[in-house]
Amino acid sequence: MHDKASALRKKCFTAAAAVVFLWMFLLNCLTPYIADDFTFAYAFDTGLRLHSLPQLLKSLAYHYYEWSGRVVVKFFAQGFTMFPKVLFNLCNAAAYLALALVIYRLARGRRTGRYDLVVFALILASLWEISPAFGQTNLWMCGACNYLWASLGCLAFLLPWRYYLQKPFAGSWRLTAGMALAGLLAGWLSENTSAGMLVCLVLCLLALLIRHHRIPSWMWSGFAGSVAGFVILIAARGNYNRASVYGDYESFLTRYAVRFFNCLNMLKEYALPLLFAFVILFVLLVFQCSTDKTGYGPIVWPVILLLGGLAANFAMILSPDYYERSTHGPFTLLTAACAACAVQLSGRTLRKALTCAAACAGLVCTFHAAEAGYDIASYYVMYQTRDGLLRTEAAELGEQAPQAELVSYAIEPYTHWCAAYGLPDIREDSSDSIGLCRARWYGVGGITATEARTYPFPGHMNDAYAAGQAQAEDSAS
């Protein structure tokens, strides 16, 4: 009987993972090139269309010195533009599912036997619901490589540390060398997410020292590699070139007070459900530890993940801007902290409560998935229509196309699940880098928009739809 129940849980777990992969693959297929995707299709140093690895590496070297140190994720963001987009669609859907599975393994550790479908469902609900810029960080090619893939790399690097804290194991010179290289890449991924990961590593080392446990060589090499990668990331000359163009408060105290409250507001506006969930689950876990009289060791790992998530969030104090998409790494670590508490709750009543919470979260996700699907599909249809018109106009111009400027329209989506939400589309001024690269993509001199269009979406409103309604009312009167 127990074997049948275990097999059923495994099948349900696998089915849930398959549904998530197929759903994300569909949404990726319905997401076209947007904003910076056009810019990343061309070499930063020469402006030529990317078509080879040497050309890509030279472009990234130029980017490192002129704009940003995030060349590891930019390698993928630019590299994918050299292939049919379906390759990215497959890889990105797999990356999203892999992130959910990595969070699950971070929470569960090396426990075997039971597939905890309830906790996995809550992890998936958190990834879908909490992000304030879901489309930008999980569907947009440039954004997904910068945020989804960075979060996946940093959290995956934490897995061996999680396993060792749970039960020490013997290492080898291969593991020591591999962790050094993996740490270098993980530390080089993202300024705030890598910073949160580093805080987790330091806290792991402190936990082992407090317990008087031996720290293996692979931990030291992994930590050294991650510090080295983070230094390379932060020391990029491009970071300081970019910072020089931002305006900021002259007063030191005012500048950092404003940045601190920007970070605090991100937590208050978007992460309160995660923080409330953590407090509830953590208190229940503490009560369980005190009742079982097994010690408070189980609370260490959730606290490490919580502090790592908070550190990743407040690391943005060092940046003049905190975009909503930059919350991906911090909120992912907070999700892992909640899951690390939930997976250890064992009482029947508590498990029933978690099951009820997962069922309610699933209902909310279902409604929002329907809305997201409609928004993303509608945007895609309008985008394809516009794309066909622009290509037809460019073809009709013939040899005059490179000097011609086409007049088109912008498309405005409704929800943050759509990758285009909050990102620049075709604008009145086409002279910025995105506009120039978009024009080059179509083989014309420029593309400008004289209006913004949208599609009907009952229960939702955006600026383009409101403007259309006002114009219709004026015409009627």
Side-chain angles (χ1 to χ4, degrees), residues 104-116:
Y104 177 79
R105 296 308 302 179
L106 277 176
R108 190 159 184 80
R110 293 189 294 179
R111 297 180 181 89
T112 58
R114 201 176 91 177
Y115 287 82
D116 199 331

Side-chain angles (χ1 to χ4, degrees), residues 96-180:
Y96 184 87
L97 175 59
L99 178 62
L101 293 172
V102 165
I103 293 173
Y104 177 79
R105 296 308 302 179
L106 277 176
R108 190 159 184 80
R110 293 189 294 179
R111 297 180 181 89
T112 58
R114 201 176 91 177
Y115 287 82
D116 199 331
L117 182 61
V118 170
V119 172
F120 186 55
L122 289 171
I123 290 170
L124 293 172
S126 177
L127 291 179
W128 177 258
E129 290 290 335
I130 298 299
S131 173
F134 182 90
Q136 290 186 25
T137 55
N138 296 286
L139 298 175
W140 177 34
M141 182 186 292
C142 178
C145 291
N146 274 272
Y147 300 100
L148 169 60
W149 290 52
S151 297
L152 174 59
C154 288
L155 268 67
F157 182 71
L158 290 175
L159 281 174
W161 300 70
R162 165 60 169 137
Y163 296 158
Y164 192 87
L165 280 182
Q166 188 178 15
K167 184 179 179 181
F169 55 88
S172 65
W173 69 267
R174 292 184 182 85
L175 181 59
T176 301
M179 288 297 289

Side-chain angles (χ1 to χ4, degrees), residues 350-415:
L350 293 178
R351 296 300 303 182
K352 289 179 180 179
L354 286 177
T355 303
C356 291
C360 293
L363 182 62
V364 173
C365 289
T366 301
F367 282 118
H368 287 165
E371 292 182 334
Y374 174 82
D375 194 26
I376 293 169
S378 299
Y379 182 89
Y380 176 78
V381 170
M382 285 196 69
Y383 184 99
Q384 291 299 106
T385 302
R386 185 183 68 181
D387 180 73
L389 292 172
L390 290 173
R391 292 186 184 279
T392 300
E393 291 181 39
E396 291 174 350
L397 288 169
E399 295 181 356
Q400 297 178 346
Q403 290 77 41
E405 182 149 329
L406 304 183
V407 178
S408 185
Y409 54 88
I411 306 171
E412 186 178 355
Y414 287 86
T415 70

Side-chain angles (χ1 to χ4, degrees), residues 227-283:
V227 171
F230 189 70
V231 169
I232 295 172
L233 171 69
I234 298 300
R237 191 180 73 181
N239 291 331
Y240 304 97
N241 291 343
R242 184 173 54 168
S244 64
V245 304
Y246 286 100
D248 212 336
Y249 295 96
E250 293 185 5
S251 168
F252 178 87
L253 291 177
T254 301
R255 180 189 313 151
Y256 286 98
V258 168
R259 293 182 185 182
F260 171 80
F261 281 103
N262 284 337
C263 295
L264 193 64
N265 286 336
M266 283 294 184
L267 292 178
K268 185 179 71 173
E269 292 179 20
Y270 302 115
L272 277 184
L274 280 177
L275 295 176
F276 284 150
F278 180 84
V279 170
I280 294 170
L281 294 169
F282 184 77
V283 171

